Amino acid sequence: MTTPKPNFAALRAAAAQDLAAIDGQVLRDSYERGGASGLTKRLEDMGRERAARAAKTLGYDYD
């Protein structure tokens, strides 16, 4: 009997989605604590692609 191989592509996609959701919450918290300047600083720290994925989880288009 062989053990089925995990679907690594699905695992990576799920992990990326989880990370984006966590980052989205970090953005929300940064805004609530530091206002626009706190949010701007966090976005700069994240980098463009990561910030865009996080913003999308909050329902915003970050371009």
Side-chain angles (χ1 to χ4, degrees):
M1 180 174 210
T2 62
T3 304
K5 290 184 179 182
N7 182 342
F8 290 111
L11 291 172
R12 280 191 297 275
Q17 188 175 19
D18 289 346
L19 178 60
I22 291 167
D23 283 344
Q25 187 60 46
V26 168
L27 291 180
R28 184 187 312 268
D29 291 346
S30 295
Y31 181 73
E32 289 173 357
R33 289 188 195 136
S37 63
L39 178 60
T40 300
K41 174 70 172 122
R42 181 63 68 182
L43 289 169
E44 290 171 354
D45 291 346
M46 281 185 177
R48 184 171 181 77
E49 288 182 25
R50 186 172 166 193
R53 286 190 301 269
K56 193 174 277 189
T57 68
L58 297 174
Y60 297 102
D61 187 25
Y62 180 75
D63 280 325

